Amino acid sequence: MRRAMAGVLRDGQVFVPNPAEGSTLLNRGSFGEPRSGGGVTLSLLEAVYLAETERLQIEADGAAVPFRDLLRRANVREASFEIRYLVYRDLRQRGYIVKESTPPIDFRVYPRGGAPKVTPSKFGVRAISERWVFDLDALEADVRRAAGARKSLLLAVVDEESDLTYYAVRFVNPRGRATARPGSPPPVAHLIEDRAMVLDEDEALRLHANGFYGRMVGRRLQLSLLETAHLAKIGAIEVRRGDTNRKVPFPALRTQARRLQPDFDLRLRAYEDLKARGIVVKTGFKYGSHFRAYEGDPDRAHAKYLVHALPGGHRGMWPEVSRAVRLAHGVKKELLFASVGDEVRYLELERVRP
Amino acid sequence: MRRAMAGVLRDGQVFVPNPAEGSTLLNRGSFGEPRSGGGVTLSLLEAVYLAETERLQIEADGAAVPFRDLLRRANVREASFEIRYLVYRDLRQRGYIVKESTPPIDFRVYPRGGAPKVTPSKFGVRAISERWVFDLDALEADVRRAAGARKSLLLAVVDEESDLTYYAVRFVNPRGRATARPGSPPPVAHLIEDRAMVLDEDEALRLHANGFYGRMVGRRLQLSLLETAHLAKIGAIEVRRGDTNRKVPFPALRTQARRLQPDFDLRLRAYEDLKARGIVVKTGFKYGSHFRAYEGDPDRAHAKYLVHALPGGHRGMWPEVSRAVRLAHGVKKELLFASVGDEVRYLELERVRP
């Protein structure tokens, strides 16, 4: 076994004074920063990694620092050291060159064989504990900043068993080819509790063929609550009560819908935005998300996206996010979070292996 | 096209007075009940189905009742008629003989070619709208009642687009082959925020080999918060603070765990129950559930179950249930809800095609 290098711990950094050892660290793996007067300065992350892999022996005040003490000091000195270390270690073990960066990015990651200041970094990584809050606003800001620097952003989420999941995250602009031309006069849809039906078969078929609305059940067309509200709002159907045949104006329909579905307004906003993009939207109930989104005819191709609408500024839990992404991944769809604020923005989260 | 039979609507039932037509209905599909004086009496569900498939023409007070009026009257007369009808219709179209039953079971379903009173029913079906509350207590009671009658229970959940998902639901008793023999003296685990690590390599390897606890990260063993709490509680580790090396007694550990994980007690109860059954338990974070559960060595076989702990009497939303089942199905695992009350009961929900 090769002899370990010698490092000196002082003020939260580790100095490697020997110029030859310093050069080796810099040239093989880009560890540390050159130090005026020779040798290199290592961060605590780098020092712990090199100590764990037995390339570095550390002393402080003239006495050897055992590994467990080094780890303890690092954890005391730096917030969430353990989470960041698990990510740093994993990326290093995958052969990447990893350098610490300024928040909110924890690491700049360079391709195997690349080097900081020579090669552009491959991606920025943020280390996250599954127990931390999933903050939609903050995430959007991070993605925007990374995109501005032409970097892709990777989230490394550490679970309670110290296992890692990586998510690539980016804004996307979903577009579809569906166009709806409301018929005239609008067909009548009868509202029964939380759904409506178009009983006239010709009208039913026309509405279904024109924008892929609803579902034919026998000879009638069943519309979901959202479809009913959307079509009523744009004047493409006339809604009447199933029992009395009385007209239901849109505000009354909306009131009923809000009672049935507490997040009705949020869903309708996302639904309308997707429709305006030419997307065919169906319920994502079976997948536990809000929508399946198709670029064209849903009978001819699978849904490309699962879309989950979140109010702008939403704060949630990481396990919910991992579940949604996992599920979409399992059915070969892309997961989009629709951030519904003044406008609707789509954030794609994709599980990746870096 | 064969001539439609004639039915008379009165008081929420439809009479088919013609004895020959009545026999046909009874013998081909077991529609209706024999009526004293000849013919049969049909329920509204049966009448709507026969009218929709154009086998029945209905009149009331001497005038023909158009299909839309029949549907409207049925919806006014019977609570959640539409939901039950969608399920009835789907099962009939799959070729089953379907008879209405007493709550909480909506339908008794007989195999193709079978007949009520002759063949035992194949399963009981409960029709549910995805908007209704998922009531754990009520579901457990339904499963218990069905099991008592030696029937299997199927839940037919109707989504907002009138599409159906069937779930078979039953109690299961998971059992595994893992036994843990706590070492003595117990190894020291250092607590750092929400995880602990055993730094002594020999102790780490011994604890990991004995019950598959934790995860080796380099030469140390990382324990999750739950593992740490469980092992501390049974005296299999001694927990010390990572920074000061001071002992952390179990009550202090529990207080810290509750702060980090609001549902800590619920999870620990389920975890302990699974351990007592010889199950190897790992986090289900990647699947958005609480636990992966293995019958034996997790390095040699895949997890059999995903387990999600719910407090006894939990009331939730059906989309959450469909998401959990879908996810487990996608990764070829069985989904168990652990109902944590005085005891822990395991309810399996499996997506099936009847």
Side-chain angles (χ1 to χ4, degrees), chain A residues 293-305:
Chain A
Y294 297 80
E295 292 178 322
D297 185 345
D299 294 328
R300 299 202 178 185
H302 290 289
K304 182 169 180 189
Y305 304 108

Side-chain angles (χ1 to χ4, degrees), chain B residues 102-117:
Chain B
T102 46
I105 301 304
D106 290 293
F107 305 116
R108 279 171 289 122
V109 176
Y110 299 84
R112 297 170 182 83
K117 291 166 197 161

Side-chain angles (χ1 to χ4, degrees), chain B residues 15 18 49 63 165 171 221 347:
Chain B
F15 303 97
N18 182 310
Y49 182 68
T165 312
F171 285 110
L221 182 70
L347 211 50

Side-chain angles (χ1 to χ4, degrees), chain B residues 88-311:
Chain B
Y88 177 85
R89 183 182 183 282
D90 185 72
L91 289 166
R92 277 287 186 185
Q93 288 197 325
R94 289 168 188 270
Y96 288 110
I97 306 296
V98 187
K99 298 303 284 183
E100 283 153 85
S101 181
T102 46
I105 301 304
D106 290 293
F107 305 116
R108 279 171 289 122
V109 176
Y110 299 84
R112 297 170 182 83
K117 291 166 197 161
V118 181
T119 327
S121 68
K122 198 170 167 185
F123 40 78
V125 175
R126 189 151 157 54
I128 291 167
S129 161
E130 62 142 320
R131 291 191 209 281
W132 298 354
V133 166
F134 170 82
D135 180 329
L136 185 59
D137 263 357
L139 182 59
E140 287 193 54
D142 292 354
V143 176
R144 213 170 286 122
R145 208 171 301 144
R150 292 165 187 275
K151 296 280 174 262
S152 54
L153 178 65
L154 236 58
L155 309 178
V157 182
V158 182
D159 74 17
E160 58 177 328
E161 280 166 11
S162 307
D163 208 3
L164 291 176
T165 312
Y166 291 92
Y167 298 104
V169 51
R170 65 183 76 92
F171 285 110
V172 295
N173 264 312
R175 292 273 167 217
R177 299 178 300 275
T179 50
R181 299 165 301 274
S184 146
V188 172
H190 283 93
L191 186 67
I192 293 175
E193 298 207 20
D194 64 352
R195 60 202 72 212
M197 52 184 85
V198 178
L199 289 164
D200 183 287
E201 190 175 359
D202 289 340
E203 290 183 339
L205 288 169
R206 206 177 310 128
L207 193 59
H208 186 56
N210 184 4
F212 310 105
Y213 289 103
R215 182 162 178 272
M216 291 301 294
V217 174
R219 293 152 167 251
R220 55 203 168 103
L221 182 70
Q222 291 254 4
L223 297 170
S224 75
L225 190 61
L226 265 182
E227 288 174 326
T228 307
H230 171 66
L231 289 168
K233 198 172 165 188
I234 65 173
I237 55 172
E238 180 183 295
V239 180
R240 291 177 174 272
R241 287 185 54 135
D243 48 0
T244 61
N245 207 35
R246 280 210 195 125
K247 276 197 200 180
V248 183
F250 180 71
L253 178 62
R254 189 174 52 200
T255 303
Q256 182 169 341
R258 285 174 177 162
R259 188 175 47 74
L260 286 162
Q261 181 120 53
D263 60 356
F264 173 77
D265 289 291
L266 173 74
R267 287 187 193 219
L268 185 60
R269 279 287 313 283
Y271 182 92
E272 288 175 332
D273 190 81
L274 287 164
K275 293 301 295 179
R277 291 165 174 272
I279 296 277
V280 178
V281 188
K282 296 285 173 184
T283 178
F285 170 72
K286 284 214 176 80
Y287 305 99
S289 69
H290 289 143
F291 307 120
R292 313 193 307 274
Y294 298 79
E295 293 178 322
D297 185 344
D299 293 327
R300 299 203 179 184
H302 290 288
K304 183 171 181 187
Y305 304 107
L306 290 184
V307 181
H308 205 80
L310 297 174

Side-chain angles (χ1 to χ4, degrees), chain B residues 290-343:
Chain B
H290 289 143
F291 307 120
R292 313 193 307 274
Y294 298 79
E295 293 178 322
D297 185 344
D299 293 327
R300 299 203 179 184
H302 290 288
K304 183 171 181 187
Y305 304 107
L306 290 184
V307 181
H308 205 80
L310 297 174
H314 171 79
R315 290 165 64 82
M317 312 274 289
W318 274 100
E320 292 162 14
V321 176
S322 82
R323 176 166 43 199
V325 175
R326 181 82 194 203
L327 218 164
H329 189 87
V331 293
K332 299 188 169 58
K333 304 189 194 313
E334 298 171 25
L335 181 85
L336 304 186
F337 285 117
S339 170
V340 179
D342 293 339
E343 55 174 3

Side-chain angles (χ1 to χ4, degrees), chain A residues 69-314:
Chain A
D69 281 0
L70 179 66
L71 206 56
R72 182 177 56 74
R73 290 189 196 205
N75 273 293
V76 170
R77 186 154 194 120
E78 296 187 7
S80 56
F81 179 87
E82 188 60 25
I83 297 297
R84 283 186 302 119
Y85 180 64
L86 286 165
V87 176
Y88 177 86
R89 183 182 183 283
D90 185 72
L91 289 166
R92 277 287 186 184
Q93 289 196 326
R94 288 169 188 269
Y96 288 110
I97 306 295
V98 187
K99 298 303 283 183
E100 283 153 86
S101 180
T102 47
I105 301 306
D106 290 294
F107 305 116
R108 278 171 290 123
V109 176
Y110 298 84
R112 296 170 181 84
K117 291 166 196 163
V118 181
T119 328
S121 68
K122 198 171 169 185
F123 40 79
V125 174
R126 189 151 156 56
I128 291 167
S129 162
E130 62 143 319
R131 291 192 208 282
W132 297 354
V133 166
F134 170 82
D135 180 327
L136 185 58
D137 262 356
L139 182 58
E140 287 193 54
D142 292 354
V143 176
R144 212 170 289 122
R145 207 170 303 145
R150 293 164 185 276
K151 296 280 173 261
S152 55
L153 179 65
L154 235 58
L155 308 177
V157 182
V158 182
D159 74 17
E160 57 175 328
E161 280 166 10
S162 307
D163 209 2
L164 290 176
T165 313
Y166 291 92
Y167 298 103
V169 51
R170 65 183 76 92
F171 284 110
V172 295
N173 263 311
R175 292 274 166 217
R177 298 177 300 274
T179 49
R181 300 164 300 274
S184 143
V188 172
H190 283 94
L191 187 66
I192 293 175
E193 299 209 18
D194 64 353
R195 58 203 73 211
M197 50 184 86
V198 177
L199 289 164
D200 183 285
E201 191 176 358
D202 289 340
E203 289 183 339
L205 288 170
R206 206 176 312 129
L207 193 59
H208 187 55
N210 183 4
F212 310 105
Y213 289 104
R215 184 163 177 271
M216 291 300 295
V217 174
R219 293 151 168 252
R220 57 203 166 101
L221 183 70
Q222 291 254 5
L223 296 170
S224 75
L225 189 60
L226 266 182
E227 288 173 327
T228 307
H230 171 66
L231 289 168
K233 198 172 164 189
I234 64 172
I237 55 171
E238 180 184 296
V239 180
R240 291 176 174 272
R241 286 184 56 134
D243 49 1
T244 60
N245 207 34
R246 279 207 198 131
K247 275 196 200 180
V248 183
F250 179 71
L253 178 63
R254 189 174 51 198
T255 303
Q256 183 169 339
R258 284 175 177 161
R259 189 174 47 73
L260 286 162
Q261 181 119 54
D263 60 357
F264 173 77
D265 288 293
L266 173 75
R267 287 188 194 219
L268 184 60
R269 280 288 313 281
Y271 182 91
E272 289 176 331
D273 189 81
L274 287 164
K275 293 302 294 178
R277 291 165 174 273
I279 297 276
V280 178
V281 188
K282 296 284 172 184
T283 176
F285 170 72
K286 285 212 174 83
Y287 306 99
S289 69
H290 289 144
F291 306 119
R292 312 193 308 273
Y294 297 80
E295 292 178 322
D297 185 345
D299 294 328
R300 299 202 178 185
H302 290 289
K304 182 169 180 189
Y305 304 108
L306 290 184
V307 181
H308 205 79
L310 297 173
H314 171 79

